[in-house]
Amino acid sequence: MTMPVSWAITPAPHMHSRMNTQKIMLAVIGALVPAMAASVIFFGPRALVLLLICGGVSVLTEFVCQKLMK
């Protein structure tokens, strides 16, 4: 007769890595650059304007949220 296995319950994250949030987000941006370039090539300058507006609004929203949460 074998003893039952004892499982340890621990809080997340269960897997550790040397990558922090900033490095992960830079990797995400790097992965999106080809898609952004393709959208500008296929759809023209209007896609670039849309990308710039969306990026600007995102940065502004993040700034406002950071100020509100101090």
Side-chain angles (χ1 to χ4, degrees), residues 28-38:
V28 169
I29 291 170
L32 288 174
V33 167
M36 291 188 294

Side-chain angles (χ1 to χ4, degrees), residues 1-39:
M1 187 147 115
T2 61
M3 297 295 293
V5 176
S6 175
W7 295 95
I9 299 174
T10 60
H14 301 292
M15 295 177 64
H16 297 282
S17 172
R18 292 180 185 219
M19 292 197 57
N20 58 17
T21 304
Q22 183 178 9
K23 289 180 183 178
I24 293 169
M25 289 299 111
L26 286 173
V28 169
I29 291 170
L32 288 174
V33 167
M36 291 188 294
S39 69

